[in-house]
């Protein structure tokens, strides 16, 4: 039985948990994780969207930032969506620098927060994601970030309006959009295949 954890600090934790429960076969156990011990025991981890400034502060307060870096470097598959993408990034834009928002600095990307406008300009758009096959993928963007620069072992998985909005660095997948709200299971399946 493989343990899939959903980091339950803040944000759309229940949406990911509910969606994963539909995607996962009986070989997987999905549970919410927040403590050092439970995070260290997962075979894969989902890092949900939400408010990255709040999540970043809480990760430090709960002292789980170090554990997250540790499991990432051990090769445990991690799926970071939206605020999860922001927090996994190695570098941030001017706004992130100015506010000294803490990042985990795990994925070799430079990220811009709110790259497609504020909350009221949230939108849906179909995307081409070659690793998921030819069928268009329904992208849900809510105050989404974008990847301005990538280096090292990072591979772009998807671009939209000339910007990278999904990428993979070995065991880690990051998306600017919300796959758990798409109704399309392919991205979660691709992620679970990394285990
Ligand atoms: N832009 C938000 C942030 O940086 C993320 C939005 C989201 O996760 N839906 O916190």
């Amino acid at each position: 039985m493989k343990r899939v954890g959903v980091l339950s600090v803040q944000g759309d934790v229940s949406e990911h948990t509910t969606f994963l429960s539909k995607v996962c076969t009986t070989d997987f156990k999905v549970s919410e994780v927040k403590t050092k011990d439970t995070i260290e025991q997962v075979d894969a981890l989902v890092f949900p969207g939400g408010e990255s400034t709040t999540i970043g502060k809480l990760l430090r307060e709960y002292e789980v930032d170090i554990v997250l870096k540790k499991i990432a470097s051990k090769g445990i598959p991690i799926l970071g969506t939206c605020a999860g993408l922001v927090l996994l990034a190695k570098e941030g834009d001017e706004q992130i620098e100015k506010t000294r928002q803490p990042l985990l600095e795990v994925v070799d990307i430079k990220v811009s927060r709110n790259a497609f406008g504020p909350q009221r300009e949230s939108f849906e758009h179909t995307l081409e994601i070659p690793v998921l096959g030819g069928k268009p993928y329904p992208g849900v963007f809510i105050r989404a970030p974008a990847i301005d620069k990538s280096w090292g072992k990072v591979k772009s998985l998807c671009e939209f309006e000339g910007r990278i909005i999904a990428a993979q660095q070995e065991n880690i997948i990051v998306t600017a959009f919300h796959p758990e709200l798409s109704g399309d299971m392919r991205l979660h399946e691709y992620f679970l295949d990394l285990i």
Side-chain angles (χ1 to χ4, degrees), residues 10-12 48-55 81-87 93 95-96 99 101 111-124 139-147 160 163 165 175-178 180-181:
Q10 188 268 340
D12 58 346
E51 179 49 50
S52 62
T53 48
T54 307
I55 300 173
T81 63
C82 206
L85 175 153
V86 174
L87 284 158
D93 61 4
Q95 189 196 358
I96 294 174
T99 57
Q101 179 183 347
V111 70
S112 272
R113 287 186 66 204
N114 311 325
F116 299 96
Q119 189 89 6
R120 64 176 181 280
E121 283 167 32
S122 299
F123 61 96
E124 292 182 28
V140 179
F141 293 78
I142 304 170
R143 212 153 59 84
I147 296 170
F160 175 65
R163 309 179 89 167
I165 44 131
T175 69
F177 50 88
H178 285 264
E180 76 288 1
L181 302 178

Side-chain angles (χ1 to χ4, degrees), residues 69-85:
K69 282 161 95 84
K70 191 167 142 193
I71 65 161
S73 69
K74 266 179 24 189
I76 301 287
I78 297 178
L79 171 63
T81 63
C82 206
L85 175 153

Side-chain angles (χ1 to χ4, degrees), residues 91-106:
E91 290 180 15
D93 61 4
E94 260 174 42
Q95 189 196 358
I96 294 174
E97 298 257 295
K98 214 163 71 190
T99 57
R100 302 217 180 148
Q101 179 183 347
L103 302 178
L104 294 172
E105 300 175 4
V106 162

